Amino acid sequence: MDKKEFRVLIKYCFLKGKNTVEAKTWHDVEFPDTAPGKSTIKDWHTKFRRVEMSTEDDERSGCPKEMVSDENILKIHKMVLNYRKLRLNEMADTLNISTEPVHHIIHEYMDMRKLCAKWMPRELTFNQKQRRVDDSEQCLKMIKHNKPEFLRRYVTMDETWLHHFTPKSKRRSSEWTVRHDEPTPKRGKTQQSAGKFMASIFWDAHGIIFIDYLEKRRTINSDYYIALLDRLNEEITENNRI
């Protein structure tokens, strides 16, 4: 049953003197899978009592059919292809129509949606992308040749920001209560401190090799990463991880 038919039934229950609880019980028995919720029945019941609602569907503005023409669809399609960041009001102003038919054409006829660009530190050049492909293929060959030895010698790293103070999560601050009527524990709202520093962590199959903490006012550039790799080489040699 659709919404209009349910409104008719609820008004029938109202005219028969049934309250919202009785109407809800009757609907659950007769239409267990599609019956409206308790709040919906209560809301409709109140509007029927105040004569603020009828059993007919409300009029909707809709989209004028003359605006959704093949000509407008073709024009909007060309505009979007020429400039993907074009906004609805800009297309509507160009065609001298409202934004509603433009929105209707883009979503219903062209099946398009607008997505935000994914942020990334910087775009790689063709040579950098090819270098990553070559390195990945070389690693795959080494794995196939001797997987245990490759995993033993493989070293990876990651970077993370560490705040000077990080508040406990809601789960970590939970406490056991002795009685059911015991009040809920309270704690003041805290935020992460603004002060933070970056940690670079290197590890292999045996565990962490070393952690480097970025010095204040130190610039992250190629010299910084070269120094990190030199230190990594020294740590691996000293710990006999070759």
Side-chain angles (χ1 to χ4, degrees):
M1 296 182 67
D2 58 16
K3 187 180 292 185
K4 180 180 178 180
E5 293 172 323
F6 275 121
R7 283 203 295 264
V8 172
L9 291 177
I10 292 175
K11 187 171 184 179
Y12 173 78
C13 293
F14 167 70
L15 295 174
K16 287 294 184 180
K18 294 182 180 292
N19 57 31
T20 56
V21 176
E22 293 171 336
K24 173 63 176 171
T25 303
W26 182 80
H27 277 82
D28 287 342
V29 174
E30 297 295 330
F31 312 99
D33 298 327
T34 58
K38 180 180 179 181
S39 58
T40 302
I41 293 178
K42 185 177 180 180
D43 180 57
W44 289 354
H45 193 277
T46 302
K47 289 181 178 179
F48 282 136
R49 187 172 65 251
R50 296 176 181 174
V51 198
E52 296 177 355
M53 184 179 182
S54 68
T55 56
E56 299 296 328
D57 291 329
D58 296 333
E59 292 186 1
R60 289 176 283 183
S61 59
C63 180
K65 291 184 178 180
E66 59 272 13
M67 298 298 179
V68 185
S69 62
D70 293 339
E71 182 181 359
N72 284 340
I73 294 174
L74 182 61
K75 289 180 179 179
I76 292 174
H77 186 249
K78 287 183 178 179
M79 283 189 237
V80 173
L81 293 182
N82 289 334
Y83 186 58
R84 299 292 181 118
K85 295 183 180 180
L86 203 61
R87 291 194 275 180
L88 292 178
N89 58 347
E90 294 172 339
M91 289 184 277
D93 292 341
T94 303
L95 298 175
N96 197 23
I97 60 178
S98 63
T99 57
E100 187 176 354
V102 176
H103 181 276
H104 185 74
I105 289 173
I106 287 180
H107 289 275
E108 298 298 330
Y109 286 83
M110 298 168 54
D111 195 22
M112 299 181 71
R113 55 180 181 160
K114 202 170 189 180
L115 299 177
C116 296
K118 184 178 180 181
W119 183 90
M120 56 187 305
R122 59 179 298 181
E123 294 186 8
L124 299 177
T125 63
F126 176 80
N127 292 334
Q128 290 171 331
K129 292 178 181 179
Q130 187 60 45
R131 180 63 183 272
R132 292 194 174 193
V133 172
D134 295 339
D135 291 343
S136 298
E137 290 178 348
Q138 186 178 359
C139 288
L140 287 174
K141 290 180 181 178
M142 295 172 64
I143 290 177
K144 292 178 181 179
H145 178 69
N146 191 339
K147 185 175 181 180
E149 181 64 14
F150 175 84
L151 296 177
R152 186 187 70 82
R153 296 170 62 90
Y154 193 83
V155 177
T156 187
M157 68 91 65
D158 196 8
E159 298 169 340
T160 183
W161 285 103
L162 300 177
H163 291 263
H164 294 168
F165 170 75
T166 303
K168 291 182 179 180
S169 64
K170 188 175 181 180
R171 174 65 62 182
R172 290 181 58 191
S173 62
S174 59
E175 302 176 5
W176 292 106
T177 57
V178 180
R179 304 187 312 274
H180 291 288
D181 58 347
E182 192 171 346
T184 303
K186 297 180 180 179
R187 67 185 181 96
K189 185 177 181 180
T190 55
Q191 295 180 344
Q192 292 186 128
S193 61
K196 60 181 180 180
F197 56 92
M198 192 178 74
S200 300
I201 308 169
F202 292 81
W203 73 92
D204 61 8
H206 302 286
I208 295 177
I209 300 175
F210 81 94
I211 303 176
D212 178 81
Y213 301 100
L214 183 66
E215 301 174 0
K216 281 188 176 181
R217 301 181 181 86
R218 177 73 183 273
T219 304
I220 301 177
N221 50 25
S222 58
D223 294 334
Y224 169 74
Y225 283 113
I226 290 173
L228 275 183
L229 294 176
D230 290 338
R231 184 181 170 188
L232 173 64
N233 187 40
E234 294 174 0
E235 293 286 344
I236 291 176
T237 303
E238 290 179 5
N239 293 299
N240 298 319
R241 295 199 179 192
I242 300 178

